[in-house]
Structure formats: structure tokens, C-alpha cells
Amino acid sequence: MDKLELKASLAVDDAGTITGNAWPFGTADSVGDIITKGAFNVAVANMPMLFNHSPSDLIGTWDEVAESTEGLTVKGALHMDQPRAR
């Protein structure tokens, strides 16, 4: 792999609150997938925040998940008692 692709634009504060755009609409990723509006219309709140998508590595909880005009907008909290979340 010769490059790392980051699509998310997230911000986190010292308390572990994380907010931002988790996935933007309309641009192709490294394999050509393009996510469009409507792809996340069933997104729900209180979703687990997983490190590397691993169910055994919970690092937080997404409290708000919704589509915006830009993409998938999220707000959540890192579990600051977990070393990887810190």
C-alpha cells in the first residue's frame, strides 16, 4: 500500500467529544466507490465506535448520526477510560 486515504474530517476535545463528517458524499475512494446522499438514511444513534471496525475493540459511542448535505455527520464520545480512546 503506497498511500493512506482519510475521508473523515473530525474534531475531538479534551473531554473526548468527537464531531464532524465521517464520510463525504460524491468523491471516489481508492477502489472507486462513490457514496451518495441516501446511503445512510437508516443511520441510527447510539452506535458503537470501534477501532479498526473490530467488535472487540470498543473505544466510544456515536450519539448522533445523520445525513447532511455534505455527508454522514456524527457526534459521539470516546470512552476516555480506555487507553486506545485516550
Side-chain angles (χ1 to χ4, degrees):
M1 182 163 108
D2 29 280
K3 72 176 186 173
L4 175 65
E5 180 180 21
L6 297 175
K7 290 282 191 174
S9 58
L10 301 168
V12 63
D13 65 18
D14 291 338
T17 302
I18 184 168
T19 59
N21 190 346
W23 194 271
F25 292 140
T27 57
D29 64 13
S30 61
V31 295
D33 291 336
I34 298 174
I35 305 298
T36 59
K37 188 157 179 57
F40 301 112
N41 65 357
V42 294
V44 296
N46 299 315
M47 292 176 46
M49 190 183 305
L50 306 174
F51 184 78
N52 282 337
H53 299 270
S54 173
S56 63
D57 207 349
L58 178 69
I59 60 168
T61 303
W62 295 115
D63 301 315
E64 298 174 25
V65 181
E67 279 193 354
S68 69
T69 56
E70 293 83 31
L72 181 64
T73 303
V74 294
K75 181 177 181 182
L78 292 168
H79 297 173
M80 298 303 281
D81 58 334
Q82 300 296 321
R84 194 181 307 276
R86 282 192 309 277

